[in-house]
Amino acid sequence: MGKILYLMGKSASGKDTIYKRLLEECKELFPVVLYTTRPMRDGEKQGVEYYFTTKEQLEDFGLSGKIIEQRIYQTVAGPWIYATVDDGSMGRNERDYLAIGTLESYKRMKNYFGESIVVPIYISVDDGVRLERALTREKLQKDPNYLEMCRRFLADEEDFSEEKLRECHIERIYRNEDLNGCIEEIKKSCFSHI
């Protein structure tokens, strides 16, 4: 099997934009699309950002042993489930993949596929910039959910603490102060692993 480049970072760090750009610019990468029960946001497409699904469908995957990792967020709109599913789209071939998720999901992917397969890419941005980006993005939604935006922002402080990053052996941090520069830095360092 090839490598799985695993992109992660706090909310509004730019990881979705970086993910899309890397897939556009690096044709040798194939996307790992997660499943989620959260509602589709304006502008999202089924099977592109996520496979938008039901709790029951995820339970069926779990009973079939196809759930690689799963997490549940208690949001102000109720529980949202995110999962990486071994649905056959990640073949055991020589292809290289690009995935996006959390530190917890990265650990589970690493345990499932092996440390030599999963390469971490941790994106970091100043908290003030992240908050501004999150607010701007939320304002564009048909029904802005500011409470959920704030919950995510605060939860990320714990989820991506320095201690947890050290426990996962995340040593390299890609600072997204300049999007193009950050993407070039990722390409230079990560594609030497592939």
Side-chain angles (χ1 to χ4, degrees):
M1 181 173 187
K3 300 288 185 187
I4 299 172
L5 302 181
Y6 206 85
L7 195 60
M8 64 197 125
K10 296 176 183 176
S11 61
S13 62
K15 60 188 178 295
D16 290 328
T17 301
I18 292 170
Y19 177 82
K20 289 174 186 173
R21 285 270 307 272
L22 285 172
L23 286 175
E24 286 171 12
E25 296 174 18
C26 306
K27 299 301 182 194
E28 64 272 27
L29 290 176
F30 292 84
V32 174
V33 181
L34 301 180
Y35 287 73
T36 185
T37 61
R38 86 151 164 77
M40 191 182 297
R41 291 183 185 142
D42 296 340
E44 290 182 324
K45 294 185 178 109
Q46 176 73 307
V48 177
E49 287 82 10
Y50 294 97
Y51 291 115
F52 296 93
T53 190
T54 64
K55 179 182 173 191
E56 293 74 24
Q57 177 64 54
L58 289 178
E59 287 171 355
D60 288 345
F61 282 135
L63 292 172
S64 303
K66 294 181 178 181
I67 300 284
I68 297 171
E69 62 84 25
Q70 177 176 294
R71 54 214 179 271
I72 301 174
Y73 296 105
Q74 299 303 327
T75 76
V76 296
W80 291 350
I81 304 170
Y82 291 79
T84 306
V85 177
D86 193 351
D87 60 4
S89 61
M90 269 187 294
R92 305 295 191 262
N93 50 39
E94 292 305 311
R95 287 183 171 173
D96 296 313
Y97 293 88
L98 183 63
I100 189 170
T102 66
L103 194 57
E104 249 338 281
S105 62
Y106 161 72
K107 287 194 307 192
R108 291 190 180 119
M109 287 284 281
K110 191 170 67 164
N111 289 339
Y112 189 86
F113 288 105
E115 194 164 348
S116 64
I117 299 294
V118 185
V119 178
I121 303 172
Y122 179 67
I123 307 298
S124 178
V125 174
D126 173 75
D127 284 341
V129 172
R130 285 193 319 107
L131 193 54
E132 287 174 5
R133 288 178 180 175
L135 185 58
T136 299
R137 179 176 67 190
E138 204 60 39
K139 283 180 179 179
L140 296 174
Q141 298 300 307
K142 190 183 310 177
D143 297 311
N145 190 338
Y146 299 112
L147 292 175
E148 176 56 23
M149 180 200 80
C150 291
R151 185 207 63 80
R152 280 194 318 264
F153 188 86
L154 294 172
D156 280 346
E157 290 306 305
E158 182 180 333
D159 294 345
F160 289 98
S161 69
E162 287 186 26
E163 180 182 335
K164 289 183 179 179
L165 290 172
R166 277 193 303 274
E167 286 172 6
C168 288
H169 308 289
I170 306 290
E171 297 165 1
R172 180 81 188 256
I173 296 175
Y174 299 89
R175 304 222 181 270
N176 187 12
E177 294 160 4
D178 166 53
L179 179 63
N180 292 328
C182 183
I183 290 170
E184 288 307 312
E185 185 181 353
I186 290 167
K187 286 181 187 177
K188 283 180 189 169
S189 65
C190 292
F191 287 93
S192 66
H193 292 289
I194 293 179

